Amino acid sequence: MGRKTSPACAWIGTVGFLFLAPGTVAGLIPWLISGWRWFDWDGAGWVLVPAAWIAISLGIAFLLHSFALFAMHRGTPAPTLPTGSLVVTGAYRFVRNPMYLSLLAIILGQALLFGGWPLLLYAGIVLAAVMGFVKVYEEPTLTGTFGRQYLEYRRNVPGWWPRRTPWRQGRANGL
């Protein structure tokens, strides 16, 4: 099993990793690509700008929620300071990768807000990279660390498309 750290270290590590990884992927790099210059959508702006802000806001909210769950489980999302238990609460009851989906929502929201085809291309690159990371590193590591518990979770909770109802561990098919 993973190791548990002190609550203070878990929160400090989680916040530090939040600024380092998602801050770079969904903040710094999109800024470098777009300059965060608003795009003039003419007549379509009244629909696209609110949609962009909704995507960005929901992405940030779910990202913060997901990161907080790791700290509450006395670990971090960083592979170097994992939790001692499998995180299967909150958003993780609906989808296995809420952090990655949150990052994509933030990037796609910025693509709408800043009218950026380059940001759409970047979102595709991020999606391919995180899907590869999940398959090559995360899933094997979680299987090795948590065994049957993770395999049951994986059977019941989709990786990329959220369930309509929350999964409850130990109940057949989450019902």
Side-chain angles (χ1 to χ4, degrees):
M1 296 266 170
R3 62 179 183 230
K4 286 190 177 185
T5 61
S6 73
C9 286
W11 280 102
I12 291 167
T14 295
V15 170
F17 189 67
L18 175 69
F19 283 103
L20 179 66
T24 299
V25 172
L28 178 62
I29 294 173
W31 174 74
L32 290 172
I33 292 170
S34 70
W36 284 347
R37 285 178 296 279
W38 289 60
F39 187 77
D40 181 11
W41 286 105
D42 292 323
W46 71 275
V47 172
L48 296 176
V49 170
W53 281 112
I54 289 169
I56 292 167
S57 299
L58 287 173
I60 290 170
F62 277 100
L63 184 67
L64 294 175
H65 165 76
S66 299
F67 265 70
L69 289 173
F70 274 77
M72 290 188 288
H73 281 81
R74 295 182 63 185
T76 74
T80 55
L81 283 172
T83 62
S85 59
L86 185 63
V87 178
V88 294
T89 59
Y92 289 91
R93 293 171 57 201
F94 293 90
V95 66
R96 291 194 319 265
N97 297 300
M99 282 189 221
Y100 299 136
L101 293 173
S102 296
L103 288 175
L104 289 167
I106 295 166
I107 295 166
L108 291 172
Q110 290 178 82
L112 275 178
L113 196 59
F114 307 126
W117 287 107
L119 281 175
L120 285 175
L121 175 62
Y122 174 63
I125 292 168
V126 169
L127 177 61
V130 296
M131 288 179 90
F133 181 73
V134 165
K135 286 293 176 201
V136 171
Y137 176 78
E138 275 190 4
E139 288 178 349
T141 300
L142 291 170
T143 301
T145 303
F146 299 108
R148 283 203 249 192
Q149 181 187 13
Y150 177 69
L151 293 175
E152 178 191 359
Y153 173 65
R154 191 171 160 192
R155 270 191 308 277
N156 288 285
V157 179
W160 302 102
W161 194 259
R163 293 169 50 105
R164 288 179 38 196
T165 59
W167 177 66
R168 288 173 175 72
Q169 190 171 2
R171 296 176 75 180
N173 296 324
L175 300 175

